[in-house]
Amino acid sequence: MERLPAQPTFIKGAYTLQQLPNDTGVEVAFAGRSNVGKSSTLNTLAGVKSLARTSKTPGRTQEINFFDLGNDRRLVDLPGYGYAKVSEAKQRHWAVTLDEYLLSRESLVGLVLLMDIRHPLKKFDRNMVHWCTHAGLPVYIILNKADKLSRGKANANLLDVKQKLDKFHIDGIQLFSSLNRTGVDEALQKLCDWLGLPYGK
Ligand SMILES: Nc1nc2c(ncn2[C@@H]2O[C@H](COP(=O)(O)OP(=O)(O)OP(=O)(O)O)[C@@H](O)[C@H]2O)c(=O)[nH]1
Ligand SMILES: [Mg+2]
């Protein structure tokens, strides 16, 4: 399968929790540190090049962006965490908003947590995995930008992260690259599973 079986369309960007779309149906959110490739991954999986805005400069996504897949299914592109040049007040706003979103969002069925395969398991990532497993929110890990490493090194890092998260109940972990399409099929399978969409090769 090359892309999701339903074509996503942009619904809206929310800066505050009051602006979120109705909390019905099911949605899957993409989280991770700034610049790990959340928006790019979403675009690759959707099969639409510029659905979510991407950028070489960290801090591109500044709102919680919602994409409609039809039948009350949604994808959610979250703002990146930990970009120093974003003002402290704004970072605090996002930390609180993100916490609240994760805590209260009933339609959220799973979180895709992206990490740069070259720098996995930073403090934010550990906190997120910890939090999700305690809150009972399924978390699936994508080690992104796998094209930046040799296949051997990428697989070694995958194994290492897996082992380090051994005691946590993560839903799965995989390598990914938008550049050479490593792991696209595997990620689509997970998304379809979570969203209740048909999956076919
Ligand atoms: N080599 C490589 N670069 C990638 C990949 N995915 C994303 N990038 C690059 O990483 C940079 C950041 O990508 P974004 O998708 O904007 O990252 P983001 O996580 O949404 O960033 P914020 O919205 O700022 O948090 C861009 O320059 C992308 O081209 C990948 O699989 N491989
Ligand atoms: Mg982004």
mmCIF file of all heavy atoms in Angstrom, residues 32-41 43 53-62 77-81 83 114 118 144-148 176-180, ligand 1:
data_model
loop_
_atom_site.group_PDB
_atom_site.id
_atom_site.type_symbol
_atom_site.label_atom_id
_atom_site.label_comp_id
_atom_site.label_asym_id
_atom_site.label_seq_id
_atom_site.Cartn_x
_atom_site.Cartn_y
_atom_site.Cartn_z
ATOM 1 N N GLY A 32 6.352 14.770 18.634
ATOM 2 C CA GLY A 32 7.807 14.617 18.601
ATOM 3 C C GLY A 32 8.488 15.955 18.690
ATOM 4 O O GLY A 32 7.847 17.008 18.557
ATOM 5 N N ARG A 33 9.785 15.913 18.913
ATOM 6 C CA ARG A 33 10.550 17.151 19.019
ATOM 7 C C ARG A 33 10.502 17.912 17.697
ATOM 8 O O ARG A 33 10.240 17.336 16.648
ATOM 9 C CB ARG A 33 11.991 16.836 19.403
ATOM 10 C CG ARG A 33 12.132 16.332 20.844
ATOM 11 C CD ARG A 33 13.497 15.712 21.073
ATOM 12 N NE ARG A 33 14.552 16.608 20.659
ATOM 13 C CZ ARG A 33 14.985 17.646 21.365
ATOM 14 N NH1 ARG A 33 14.483 17.900 22.550
ATOM 15 N NH2 ARG A 33 15.942 18.411 20.907
ATOM 16 N N SER A 34 10.793 19.172 17.799
ATOM 17 C CA SER A 34 10.789 20.026 16.626
ATOM 18 C C SER A 34 11.748 19.493 15.561
ATOM 19 O O SER A 34 12.847 19.041 15.884
ATOM 20 C CB SER A 34 11.218 21.431 17.050
ATOM 21 O OG SER A 34 10.879 22.337 16.055
ATOM 22 N N ASN A 35 11.294 19.525 14.307
ATOM 23 C CA ASN A 35 12.161 19.187 13.171
ATOM 24 C C ASN A 35 12.429 17.686 12.970
ATOM 25 O O ASN A 35 13.269 17.312 12.149
ATOM 26 C CB ASN A 35 13.497 19.941 13.286
ATOM 27 C CG ASN A 35 14.065 20.312 11.928
ATOM 28 O OD1 ASN A 35 13.315 20.712 11.040
ATOM 29 N ND2 ASN A 35 15.360 20.157 11.755
ATOM 30 N N VAL A 36 11.747 16.799 13.708
ATOM 31 C CA VAL A 36 11.979 15.357 13.512
ATOM 32 C C VAL A 36 11.292 14.841 12.250
ATOM 33 O O VAL A 36 11.579 13.729 11.796
ATOM 34 C CB VAL A 36 11.521 14.494 14.710
ATOM 35 C CG1 VAL A 36 12.372 14.748 15.927
ATOM 36 C CG2 VAL A 36 10.053 14.687 15.015
ATOM 37 N N GLY A 37 10.373 15.635 11.715
ATOM 38 C CA GLY A 37 9.710 15.223 10.472
ATOM 39 C C GLY A 37 8.267 14.773 10.637
ATOM 40 O O GLY A 37 7.778 13.943 9.868
ATOM 41 N N LYS A 38 7.573 15.330 11.611
ATOM 42 C CA LYS A 38 6.158 14.963 11.832
ATOM 43 C C LYS A 38 5.299 15.306 10.611
ATOM 44 O O LYS A 38 4.550 14.461 10.111
ATOM 45 C CB LYS A 38 5.595 15.702 13.065
ATOM 46 C CG LYS A 38 6.297 15.338 14.358
ATOM 47 C CD LYS A 38 5.806 16.182 15.517
ATOM 48 C CE LYS A 38 6.233 17.647 15.425
ATOM 49 N NZ LYS A 38 7.703 17.859 15.453
ATOM 50 N N SER A 39 5.432 16.557 10.152
ATOM 51 C CA SER A 39 4.604 17.002 9.034
ATOM 52 C C SER A 39 4.963 16.244 7.753
ATOM 53 O O SER A 39 4.078 15.828 6.997
ATOM 54 C CB SER A 39 4.761 18.510 8.833
ATOM 55 O OG SER A 39 4.406 19.204 10.019
ATOM 56 N N SER A 40 6.260 16.030 7.525
ATOM 57 C CA SER A 40 6.704 15.292 6.330
ATOM 58 C C SER A 40 6.163 13.867 6.339
ATOM 59 O O SER A 40 5.717 13.358 5.296
ATOM 60 C CB SER A 40 8.232 15.216 6.283
ATOM 61 O OG SER A 40 8.806 16.486 6.373
ATOM 62 N N THR A 41 6.202 13.229 7.490
ATOM 63 C CA THR A 41 5.738 11.842 7.599
ATOM 64 C C THR A 41 4.242 11.766 7.312
ATOM 65 O O THR A 41 3.773 10.873 6.594
ATOM 66 C CB THR A 41 6.051 11.294 9.008
ATOM 67 O OG1 THR A 41 7.464 11.336 9.193
ATOM 68 C CG2 THR A 41 5.567 9.872 9.175
ATOM 69 N N ASN A 43 2.535 13.788 5.483
ATOM 70 C CA ASN A 43 2.355 13.988 4.034
ATOM 71 C C ASN A 43 2.668 12.708 3.250
ATOM 72 O O ASN A 43 1.948 12.350 2.325
ATOM 73 C CB ASN A 43 3.265 15.114 3.531
ATOM 74 C CG ASN A 43 2.801 16.477 4.012
ATOM 75 O OD1 ASN A 43 1.667 16.635 4.464
ATOM 76 N ND2 ASN A 43 3.682 17.466 3.938
ATOM 77 N N ARG A 53 2.327 21.642 6.336
ATOM 78 C CA ARG A 53 3.482 22.474 5.980
ATOM 79 C C ARG A 53 4.749 21.978 6.664
ATOM 80 O O ARG A 53 4.770 21.732 7.853
ATOM 81 C CB ARG A 53 3.215 23.922 6.356
ATOM 82 C CG ARG A 53 2.971 24.767 5.100
ATOM 83 C CD ARG A 53 2.729 26.204 5.458
ATOM 84 N NE ARG A 53 1.319 26.463 5.650
ATOM 85 C CZ ARG A 53 0.845 27.429 6.415
ATOM 86 N NH1 ARG A 53 1.675 28.205 7.108
ATOM 87 N NH2 ARG A 53 -0.448 27.631 6.508
ATOM 88 N N THR A 54 5.806 21.842 5.874
ATOM 89 C CA THR A 54 7.081 21.377 6.412
ATOM 90 C C THR A 54 8.115 22.486 6.233
ATOM 91 O O THR A 54 7.871 23.442 5.497
ATOM 92 C CB THR A 54 7.585 20.131 5.652
ATOM 93 O OG1 THR A 54 7.839 20.512 4.301
ATOM 94 C CG2 THR A 54 6.562 19.022 5.686
ATOM 95 N N SER A 55 9.242 22.346 6.908
ATOM 96 C CA SER A 55 10.266 23.374 6.777
ATOM 97 C C SER A 55 11.613 22.895 7.280
ATOM 98 O O SER A 55 11.695 22.026 8.146
ATOM 99 C CB SER A 55 9.837 24.590 7.598
ATOM 100 O OG SER A 55 10.923 25.446 7.791
ATOM 101 N N LYS A 56 12.671 23.457 6.683
ATOM 102 C CA LYS A 56 14.034 23.170 7.155
ATOM 103 C C LYS A 56 14.251 23.811 8.514
ATOM 104 O O LYS A 56 15.063 23.360 9.302
ATOM 105 C CB LYS A 56 15.060 23.750 6.169
ATOM 106 C CG LYS A 56 15.276 22.885 4.954
ATOM 107 C CD LYS A 56 16.563 23.317 4.236
ATOM 108 C CE LYS A 56 16.920 22.385 3.111
ATOM 109 N NZ LYS A 56 15.957 22.395 2.001
ATOM 110 N N THR A 57 13.530 24.892 8.778
ATOM 111 C CA THR A 57 13.678 25.605 10.048
ATOM 112 C C THR A 57 12.757 24.980 11.084
ATOM 113 O O THR A 57 11.566 24.836 10.828
ATOM 114 C CB THR A 57 13.225 27.081 9.885
ATOM 115 O OG1 THR A 57 13.505 27.476 8.552
ATOM 116 C CG2 THR A 57 13.906 27.972 10.885
ATOM 117 N N PRO A 58 13.306 24.616 12.250
ATOM 118 C CA PRO A 58 12.452 24.034 13.281
ATOM 119 C C PRO A 58 11.385 25.028 13.727
ATOM 120 O O PRO A 58 11.562 26.237 13.578
ATOM 121 C CB PRO A 58 13.413 23.741 14.426
ATOM 122 C CG PRO A 58 14.782 23.865 13.876
ATOM 123 C CD PRO A 58 14.695 24.737 12.675
ATOM 124 N N GLY A 59 10.306 24.511 14.289
ATOM 125 C CA GLY A 59 9.258 25.383 14.805
ATOM 126 C C GLY A 59 8.244 25.772 13.753
ATOM 127 O O GLY A 59 7.519 26.740 13.894
ATOM 128 N N ARG A 60 8.189 25.004 12.672
ATOM 129 C CA ARG A 60 7.283 25.317 11.563
ATOM 130 C C ARG A 60 5.809 25.216 11.996
ATOM 131 O O ARG A 60 5.020 26.108 11.771
ATOM 132 C CB ARG A 60 7.578 24.358 10.403
ATOM 133 C CG ARG A 60 6.609 24.378 9.261
ATOM 134 C CD ARG A 60 6.696 25.649 8.471
ATOM 135 N NE ARG A 60 5.584 26.530 8.770
ATOM 136 C CZ ARG A 60 5.357 27.682 8.159
ATOM 137 N NH1 ARG A 60 6.191 28.121 7.232
ATOM 138 N NH2 ARG A 60 4.326 28.416 8.471
ATOM 139 N N THR A 61 5.444 24.071 12.580
ATOM 140 C CA THR A 61 4.046 23.858 12.945
ATOM 141 C C THR A 61 3.766 24.536 14.278
ATOM 142 O O THR A 61 4.349 24.195 15.290
ATOM 143 C CB THR A 61 3.734 22.352 13.011
ATOM 144 O OG1 THR A 61 4.197 21.749 11.802
ATOM 145 C CG2 THR A 61 2.244 22.094 13.158
ATOM 146 N N GLN A 62 2.883 25.535 14.233
ATOM 147 C CA GLN A 62 2.657 26.357 15.425
ATOM 148 C C GLN A 62 1.265 26.160 15.998
ATOM 149 O O GLN A 62 0.875 26.810 16.946
ATOM 150 C CB GLN A 62 2.849 27.834 15.073
ATOM 151 C CG GLN A 62 4.245 28.164 14.585
ATOM 152 C CD GLN A 62 5.171 28.575 15.717
ATOM 153 O OE1 GLN A 62 4.721 28.960 16.782
ATOM 154 N NE2 GLN A 62 6.467 28.460 15.500
ATOM 155 N N ASP A 77 -1.548 16.849 13.364
ATOM 156 C CA ASP A 77 -0.130 17.230 13.324
ATOM 157 C C ASP A 77 0.128 18.185 14.487
ATOM 158 O O ASP A 77 -0.384 19.300 14.506
ATOM 159 C CB ASP A 77 0.150 17.911 11.974
ATOM 160 C CG ASP A 77 1.622 18.199 11.761
ATOM 161 O OD1 ASP A 77 2.461 17.590 12.453
ATOM 162 O OD2 ASP A 77 1.931 19.040 10.889
ATOM 163 N N LEU A 78 0.910 17.729 15.450
ATOM 164 C CA LEU A 78 1.147 18.543 16.645
ATOM 165 C C LEU A 78 2.379 19.429 16.460
ATOM 166 O O LEU A 78 3.301 19.067 15.718
ATOM 167 C CB LEU A 78 1.361 17.641 17.861
ATOM 168 C CG LEU A 78 0.158 16.803 18.280
ATOM 169 C CD1 LEU A 78 0.577 15.759 19.312
ATOM 170 C CD2 LEU A 78 -0.944 17.687 18.854
ATOM 171 N N PRO A 79 2.412 20.570 17.128
ATOM 172 C CA PRO A 79 3.610 21.412 17.054
ATOM 173 C C PRO A 79 4.787 20.691 17.698
ATOM 174 O O PRO A 79 4.599 19.906 18.623
ATOM 175 C CB PRO A 79 3.233 22.643 17.891
ATOM 176 C CG PRO A 79 1.784 22.552 18.146
ATOM 177 C CD PRO A 79 1.401 21.115 18.043
ATOM 178 N N GLY A 80 5.976 20.963 17.203
ATOM 179 C CA GLY A 80 7.168 20.310 17.738
ATOM 180 C C GLY A 80 7.509 20.826 19.121
ATOM 181 O O GLY A 80 7.167 21.953 19.478
ATOM 182 N N TYR A 81 8.205 19.988 19.849
ATOM 183 C CA TYR A 81 8.586 20.360 21.195
ATOM 184 C C TYR A 81 10.068 20.721 21.227
ATOM 185 O O TYR A 81 10.863 20.128 20.506
ATOM 186 C CB TYR A 81 8.323 19.180 22.141
ATOM 187 C CG TYR A 81 8.782 19.431 23.534
ATOM 188 C CD1 TYR A 81 7.928 20.041 24.440
ATOM 189 C CD2 TYR A 81 10.062 19.093 23.937
ATOM 190 C CE1 TYR A 81 8.343 20.297 25.731
ATOM 191 C CE2 TYR A 81 10.488 19.342 25.223
ATOM 192 C CZ TYR A 81 9.627 19.945 26.112
ATOM 193 O OH TYR A 81 10.044 20.200 27.381
ATOM 194 N N TYR A 83 11.945 23.637 20.692
ATOM 195 C CA TYR A 83 12.709 24.521 19.820
ATOM 196 C C TYR A 83 13.020 25.809 20.569
ATOM 197 O O TYR A 83 12.132 26.605 20.880
ATOM 198 C CB TYR A 83 11.928 24.803 18.535
ATOM 199 C CG TYR A 83 12.674 25.728 17.606
ATOM 200 C CD1 TYR A 83 14.003 25.477 17.287
ATOM 201 C CD2 TYR A 83 12.062 26.845 17.075
ATOM 202 C CE1 TYR A 83 14.695 26.311 16.454
ATOM 203 C CE2 TYR A 83 12.745 27.696 16.224
ATOM 204 C CZ TYR A 83 14.073 27.422 15.919
ATOM 205 O OH TYR A 83 14.757 28.260 15.093
ATOM 206 N N LEU A 114 7.438 10.451 16.985
ATOM 207 C CA LEU A 114 8.570 10.420 16.062
ATOM 208 C C LEU A 114 9.852 10.874 16.736
ATOM 209 O O LEU A 114 9.842 11.818 17.527
ATOM 210 C CB LEU A 114 8.303 11.353 14.875
ATOM 211 C CG LEU A 114 7.369 10.785 13.818
ATOM 212 C CD1 LEU A 114 5.985 11.327 14.006
ATOM 213 C CD2 LEU A 114 7.898 11.109 12.438
ATOM 214 N N ARG A 118 18.975 9.426 14.583
ATOM 215 C CA ARG A 118 20.353 9.744 15.009
ATOM 216 C C ARG A 118 20.414 10.244 16.449
ATOM 217 O O ARG A 118 21.462 10.227 17.070
ATOM 218 C CB ARG A 118 20.955 10.800 14.066
ATOM 219 C CG ARG A 118 21.103 10.299 12.641
ATOM 220 C CD ARG A 118 21.314 11.452 11.694
ATOM 221 N NE ARG A 118 20.175 12.367 11.678
ATOM 222 C CZ ARG A 118 20.138 13.517 11.013
ATOM 223 N NH1 ARG A 118 21.199 13.896 10.331
ATOM 224 N NH2 ARG A 118 19.060 14.277 11.026
ATOM 225 N N ASN A 144 12.644 8.190 12.608
ATOM 226 C CA ASN A 144 12.608 8.828 11.291
ATOM 227 C C ASN A 144 13.993 9.207 10.765
ATOM 228 O O ASN A 144 14.963 9.207 11.507
ATOM 229 C CB ASN A 144 11.713 10.081 11.372
ATOM 230 C CG ASN A 144 11.296 10.559 9.994
ATOM 231 O OD1 ASN A 144 11.146 9.764 9.071
ATOM 232 N ND2 ASN A 144 11.129 11.872 9.864
ATOM 233 N N LYS A 145 14.015 9.534 9.497
ATOM 234 C CA LYS A 145 15.239 9.917 8.779
ATOM 235 C C LYS A 145 16.240 8.758 8.746
ATOM 236 O O LYS A 145 17.454 8.956 8.865
ATOM 237 C CB LYS A 145 15.881 11.191 9.388
ATOM 238 C CG LYS A 145 14.874 12.360 9.527
ATOM 239 C CD LYS A 145 15.532 13.689 9.792
ATOM 240 C CE LYS A 145 14.483 14.780 10.059
ATOM 241 N NZ LYS A 145 15.028 16.118 10.259
ATOM 242 N N ALA A 146 15.700 7.545 8.578
ATOM 243 C CA ALA A 146 16.541 6.344 8.525
ATOM 244 C C ALA A 146 17.517 6.410 7.360
ATOM 245 O O ALA A 146 18.572 5.762 7.385
ATOM 246 C CB ALA A 146 15.670 5.099 8.421
ATOM 247 N N ASP A 147 17.186 7.229 6.343
ATOM 248 C CA ASP A 147 18.082 7.375 5.187
ATOM 249 C C ASP A 147 19.411 8.015 5.550
ATOM 250 O O ASP A 147 20.372 7.940 4.808
ATOM 251 C CB ASP A 147 17.376 8.198 4.101
ATOM 252 C CG ASP A 147 16.920 9.554 4.613
ATOM 253 O OD1 ASP A 147 15.802 9.646 5.170
ATOM 254 O OD2 ASP A 147 17.672 10.530 4.485
ATOM 255 N N LYS A 148 19.450 8.650 6.722
ATOM 256 C CA LYS A 148 20.677 9.334 7.149
ATOM 257 C C LYS A 148 21.724 8.353 7.679
ATOM 258 O O LYS A 148 22.874 8.740 7.900
ATOM 259 C CB LYS A 148 20.358 10.346 8.257
ATOM 260 C CG LYS A 148 19.493 11.505 7.797
ATOM 261 C CD LYS A 148 20.335 12.596 7.184
ATOM 262 C CE LYS A 148 19.518 13.869 6.991
ATOM 263 N NZ LYS A 148 20.294 14.878 6.274
ATOM 264 N N PHE A 176 11.743 4.590 9.602
ATOM 265 C CA PHE A 176 10.958 5.300 8.588
ATOM 266 C C PHE A 176 11.844 6.284 7.851
ATOM 267 O O PHE A 176 12.816 6.800 8.400
ATOM 268 C CB PHE A 176 9.806 6.061 9.248
ATOM 269 C CG PHE A 176 8.757 6.548 8.281
ATOM 270 C CD1 PHE A 176 7.685 5.741 7.923
ATOM 271 C CD2 PHE A 176 8.844 7.826 7.718
ATOM 272 C CE1 PHE A 176 6.712 6.184 7.026
ATOM 273 C CE2 PHE A 176 7.884 8.277 6.819
ATOM 274 C CZ PHE A 176 6.813 7.459 6.481
ATOM 275 N N SER A 177 11.497 6.525 6.593
ATOM 276 C CA SER A 177 12.123 7.606 5.841
ATOM 277 C C SER A 177 11.189 8.068 4.748
ATOM 278 O O SER A 177 10.715 7.264 3.946
ATOM 279 C CB SER A 177 13.441 7.135 5.219
ATOM 280 O OG SER A 177 13.837 8.052 4.214
ATOM 281 N N SER A 178 10.921 9.355 4.718
ATOM 282 C CA SER A 178 10.115 9.913 3.634
ATOM 283 C C SER A 178 10.938 9.965 2.357
ATOM 284 O O SER A 178 10.404 9.920 1.258
ATOM 285 C CB SER A 178 9.646 11.328 3.983
ATOM 286 O OG SER A 178 8.594 11.276 4.910
ATOM 287 N N LEU A 179 12.259 10.036 2.534
ATOM 288 C CA LEU A 179 13.150 10.187 1.390
ATOM 289 C C LEU A 179 13.222 8.918 0.548
ATOM 290 O O LEU A 179 13.047 8.957 -0.662
ATOM 291 C CB LEU A 179 14.539 10.568 1.901
ATOM 292 C CG LEU A 179 15.218 11.677 1.133
ATOM 293 C CD1 LEU A 179 14.567 13.012 1.464
ATOM 294 C CD2 LEU A 179 16.704 11.717 1.470
ATOM 295 N N ASN A 180 13.473 7.771 1.188
ATOM 296 C CA ASN A 180 13.557 6.530 0.403
ATOM 297 C C ASN A 180 12.400 5.571 0.699
ATOM 298 O O ASN A 180 12.428 4.426 0.291
ATOM 299 C CB ASN A 180 14.918 5.842 0.611
ATOM 300 C CG ASN A 180 15.132 5.404 2.041
ATOM 301 O OD1 ASN A 180 14.174 5.291 2.818
ATOM 302 N ND2 ASN A 180 16.371 5.132 2.413
HETATM 303 N N1 LIG B 1 16.667 13.044 5.276
HETATM 304 C C1 LIG B 1 15.397 13.160 5.672
HETATM 305 N N2 LIG B 1 14.906 14.379 5.986
HETATM 306 C C2 LIG B 1 13.623 14.451 6.404
HETATM 307 C C3 LIG B 1 12.788 13.303 6.520
HETATM 308 N N3 LIG B 1 11.581 13.713 7.000
HETATM 309 C C4 LIG B 1 11.664 15.049 7.146
HETATM 310 N N4 LIG B 1 12.882 15.508 6.797
HETATM 311 C C5 LIG B 1 13.353 16.926 6.808
HETATM 312 O O1 LIG B 1 13.340 17.397 8.144
HETATM 313 C C6 LIG B 1 12.982 18.785 8.174
HETATM 314 C C7 LIG B 1 11.797 18.990 9.111
HETATM 315 O O2 LIG B 1 10.655 18.355 8.599
HETATM 316 P P1 LIG B 1 9.188 18.696 9.130
HETATM 317 O O3 LIG B 1 8.290 17.644 8.571
HETATM 318 O O4 LIG B 1 8.845 20.119 8.857
HETATM 319 O O5 LIG B 1 9.386 18.461 10.706
HETATM 320 P P2 LIG B 1 8.360 18.693 11.898
HETATM 321 O O6 LIG B 1 8.633 17.642 12.895
HETATM 322 O O7 LIG B 1 6.966 18.782 11.378
HETATM 323 O O8 LIG B 1 8.865 20.098 12.448
HETATM 324 P P3 LIG B 1 8.071 21.184 13.363
HETATM 325 O O9 LIG B 1 6.727 21.395 12.750
HETATM 326 O O10 LIG B 1 8.953 22.370 13.287
HETATM 327 O O11 LIG B 1 8.016 20.593 14.715
HETATM 328 C C8 LIG B 1 12.694 19.179 6.731
HETATM 329 O O12 LIG B 1 13.840 19.780 6.196
HETATM 330 C C9 LIG B 1 12.410 17.845 6.054
HETATM 331 O O13 LIG B 1 12.691 17.849 4.679
HETATM 332 C C10 LIG B 1 13.341 12.024 6.162
HETATM 333 O O14 LIG B 1 12.721 10.955 6.245
HETATM 334 N N5 LIG B 1 14.662 12.019 5.768
#
